[in-house]
Amino acid sequence: MARAEPSAGPAPLRRTEARAGIAADAIAVSALIAEGRPVILKGAARDWPLVRAGLASPTAAATMLRAVDGGRPVVVYVGDPAIRGRFHYTADGTAMNFTSERAALGAVLDRLLALPDSEEAPSLYVGSTDLDMFLPGLRAANDIVPADGTFAEHPPLASIWIGNRTIAATHWDMSNNLAVCVAGRRRFTLFPPDQTSNLYPGPIDPTPAGQVVSMVDLRAPDLTRYPRFADAFAAAEVAELEPGDVLVYPALWWHHVEALDGFNILVNYWWNSVPAFLDSPMTTLLHGLLSLRARPDSEKQAWRAMFDHYLFGPTETATAHLPAIAQGPLAPLDAMTARRLRAMVAQKLNR
């Protein structure tokens, strides 16, 4: 029996803008990110040898991957057919609804190719696997090198995702993302960051794959339990990707990713156009849970004003009235100042 395509529920009102005629070596990713919205570059990677192999057959794509296999075991996630491809929590939220194991990439590919494309098949998913470490040489002929030099200045983390009809539940990443649909079709349902509360984020720890996910199942949203999701869905947009299409979207956009065929490959690049000495804002959020969340509301509102002054408002607001020599940690951040701030924070935490 052929497996029905997953559905993201009622069709979102908006489809992600698609632009044609932009070659892979002509992509200006910084300008695209600055637009503040997702965009599809139709066919920008269609000349990749791996894309062409995938269009020929899953076996041809798998053969190309085997040729550059570095021999390291990969992590593969395995879900019972009952989860219908959605890697998430168990119904009571106390555990994951899948298992993980390590296996040789060739063995995983053999298993994928042997699986029927049916409801009775288990879900197999190799996620976020470092390209350079596990498939050295693949990027020699299958790579995105933006024309604006962004990746030269801010080297991205390049990863590969391989599986059958699987679903990465709605989640966000702290980095900008350039995703290349290599084999099979993909559907991204994207939500702007201001919809975070309406997406009902799950636990910070544990998570299915290291990142917070929405508790709402897009295939069958329970609006009685999650009523604000209706507002999130009204703000959503959907990106339907064919092999060779490239999707670019900014950091912190939530995205629900469905693989729509029995054999799928996606390659993505994560990067932030910031100095390497900056820490992760997630560290700040975790410390905020420790230092702010349990305080009286009046204090929290006062701290909100303080954070707006020092962090979220114009940089000059906090410094314009101070001589440069007196600005201390408020001065423009460089590697040395970052080390000093990190030492200050560590000292205050170590009490």
Side-chain angles (χ1 to χ4, degrees):
M1 179 178 68
R3 176 176 288 187
E5 288 192 5
S7 171
L13 299 178
R14 182 185 303 109
R15 288 191 173 270
T16 297
E17 179 190 356
R19 302 177 188 176
I22 300 176
D25 60 0
I27 298 173
V29 292
S30 289
L32 294 174
I33 293 298
E35 294 180 18
R37 300 204 62 85
V39 62
I40 301 169
L41 307 179
K42 293 295 297 181
R46 195 173 179 87
D47 289 337
W48 278 18
L50 186 57
V51 171
R52 293 201 299 267
L55 289 169
S57 71
T59 299
T63 298
M64 186 168 290
L65 293 180
R66 293 180 208 274
V68 291
D69 182 4
R72 294 172 179 262
V74 297
V75 177
V76 56
Y77 301 103
V78 183
D80 187 89
I83 75 170
R84 296 174 54 218
R86 182 175 181 251
F87 290 85
H88 204 257
Y89 297 95
T90 54
D92 61 7
T94 61
M96 302 303 158
N97 67 355
F98 59 91
T99 60
S100 64
E101 58 193 59
R102 288 191 173 273
L105 177 62
V108 177
L109 293 171
D110 287 342
R111 190 172 176 185
L112 273 172
L113 293 172
L115 284 175
D117 188 14
S118 74
E119 297 283 355
E120 288 73 34
S123 297
L124 293 185
Y125 183 48
V126 176
S128 190
T129 299
D130 189 294
L131 268 184
D132 296 327
M133 182 179 298
F134 289 85
L135 294 165
L138 184 67
R139 291 175 68 184
N142 304 273
D143 202 11
I144 297 289
V145 181
D148 60 6
T150 297
F151 286 2
E153 185 177 359
H154 304 286
L157 173 64
S159 299
I160 193 166
W161 312 68
I162 309 168
N164 55 357
R165 291 179 182 258
T166 56
I167 297 173
T170 311
H171 65 285
W172 60 273
D173 299 306
M174 67 167 287
S175 300
N176 304 314
N177 198 352
L178 185 153
V180 182
C181 184
V182 176
R185 296 164 298 140
R186 296 264 174 171
R187 176 189 295 137
F188 281 68
T189 305
L190 301 125
F191 304 84
D194 63 9
Q195 295 303 310
T196 293
S197 291
N198 295 334
L199 288 166
Y200 297 88
I204 288 178
D205 184 52
T207 65
Q211 194 57 278
V212 172
V213 300
S214 169
M215 298 303 290
V216 183
D217 186 348
L218 261 67
R219 298 171 304 185
D222 184 346
L223 296 183
T224 300
R225 187 174 183 182
Y226 308 114
R228 294 193 309 275
F229 179 72
D231 293 329
F233 207 76
E237 59 184 77
V238 64
E240 302 273 2
L241 304 181
E242 300 287 337
D245 290 348
V246 172
L247 174 65
V248 181
Y249 56 92
L252 277 77
W253 273 69
W254 291 77
H255 45 289
H256 176 273
V257 188
E258 301 169 87
L260 302 178
D261 289 298
F263 183 84
N264 298 268
I265 302 172
L266 181 136
V267 167
N268 85 297
Y269 302 78
W270 280 309
W271 83 99
N272 292 95
S273 296
V274 298
F277 56 72
L278 290 190
D279 278 351
S280 166
M282 191 65 192
T283 303
T284 308
L285 190 152
L286 291 174
H287 189 248
L289 295 177
L290 175 65
S291 62
L292 289 171
R293 191 164 186 259
R295 293 185 181 276
D297 187 64
S298 59
E299 288 188 28
K300 287 197 288 188
Q301 296 310 313
W303 277 108
R304 182 197 295 269
M306 200 77 71
F307 275 55
D308 283 343
H309 175 75
Y310 284 108
L311 300 179
F312 300 119
T315 302
E316 59 273 14
T317 299
T319 58
H321 60 289
L322 297 174
I325 196 171
Q327 290 179 4
L330 297 176
L333 197 62
D334 56 24
M336 179 62 72
T337 307
R339 284 197 293 271
R340 289 172 180 162
L341 279 171
R342 199 171 289 111
M344 289 173 61
V345 171
Q347 183 181 33
K348 290 183 179 297
L349 285 175
N350 188 24
R351 66 184 182 93

